[in-house]
Amino acid sequence: MIIRGGTFGPVATNTYVVAERQGGEALIVDPAMGSARWVEETLARFELTPLAVYATHGHWDHVVENHVWADRGVPVWAGAGDLDWLRAPAPFNPALFGNPPPTPGVEPARLLNEGDVLELGDLRLVLIETPGHSPGCLVAHEADRGEALVGDLVFAQGVGRTDFPRSDPQAMLSSLKRTFAELPGATRIYPGHGPWGVSLAEAETFARMFM
Ligand SMILES: [Zn+2]
């Protein structure tokens, strides 16, 4: 399994390219502001064909370059709970995002829900709905390879904020508990911000300080 990450934009958002193997199909995960060239280079280096853009959730910094890929015919897949933010990306926090020019929205080609499976060659990324940071937050878990794209649910040393519009601290607590209960501690996590590749068990020791 190939997972390559880069960090871009005003709030250091992680963009990932995920594929089963060189020469196969790839998911572009959360194309952040200024990530397009790096994504192109990564696709080219591994001879990958983009299958879809996968949005871990609908926050502006994670969906801001969806339109770049949609304009090239790459479909966008996103959780049903953040649909309106996909259609009209909302930089709702000027303290974080500044006041960027309007971001074109994209109509998702596929709305994702609990239990859906993203198939990428032999990879099967099973989706878990993890609302709290935003209503449409998803975790994508590849159980055989022991990898999980966790968005802004949990970071290497912290958890996602719950003071944004439509955040829900109680739902966040349930989502964190559920994730730590259901995914093996050895699972390597790929969050929306900060370092990636640490184990879920390592991240859990920090996350528990916020639970
Ligand atoms: Zn977020």
Side-chain angles (χ1 to χ4, degrees), residues 63-197:
V63 302
V64 57
E65 289 197 353
N66 282 1
H67 68 95
V68 170
W69 297 99
D71 287 349
R72 301 177 191 184
V74 181
V76 173
W77 299 349
D82 287 344
L83 177 58
D84 56 343
W85 278 335
L86 271 291
R87 289 174 169 161
F92 51 75
N93 189 327
L96 281 177
F97 303 136
N99 290 290
T103 304
V106 169
E107 182 68 28
R110 181 178 173 190
L111 280 183
L112 304 169
N113 294 287
E114 172 78 26
D116 287 354
V117 180
L118 311 182
E119 294 186 6
L120 198 57
D122 284 343
L123 300 178
R124 289 172 50 82
L125 294 116
V126 179
L127 299 182
I128 306 168
E129 289 182 352
T130 54
H133 174 71
S134 82
C137 282
L138 297 168
V139 164
H141 179 215
E142 218 305 335
D144 289 343
R145 310 305 208 284
E147 318 267 17
L149 306 166
V150 296
D152 287 2
L153 174 71
V154 58
F155 305 125
Q157 298 191 353
V159 302
R161 288 172 60 164
T162 53
D163 59 335
F164 290 144
R166 294 193 227 167
S167 292
D168 180 339
Q170 278 310 114
M172 185 67 163
L173 190 58
S174 302
S175 293
L176 287 165
K177 284 180 178 169
R178 185 185 167 200
T179 300
F180 295 136
E182 293 184 10
L183 269 55
T187 306
R188 282 177 299 275
I189 61 166
Y190 298 81
H193 303 272
W196 56 84

Side-chain angles (χ1 to χ4, degrees), residues 22-109:
Q22 180 147 356
E25 292 181 314
L27 291 178
I28 301 166
V29 182
D30 290 354
M33 174 149 270
S35 66
R37 178 169 297 188
W38 173 83
V39 172
E40 287 164 6
E41 288 169 357
T42 304
L43 293 171
R45 185 176 342 134
F46 294 98
E47 302 165 316
L48 301 171
T49 306
L51 174 67
V53 169
Y54 164 65
T56 62
H57 63 298
H59 281 160
W60 179 83
D61 56 313
H62 298 257
V63 302
V64 57
E65 289 197 353
N66 282 1
H67 68 95
V68 170
W69 297 99
D71 287 349
R72 301 177 191 184
V74 181
V76 173
W77 299 349
D82 287 344
L83 177 58
D84 56 343
W85 278 335
L86 271 291
R87 289 174 169 161
F92 51 75
N93 189 327
L96 281 177
F97 303 136
N99 290 290
T103 304
V106 169
E107 182 68 28

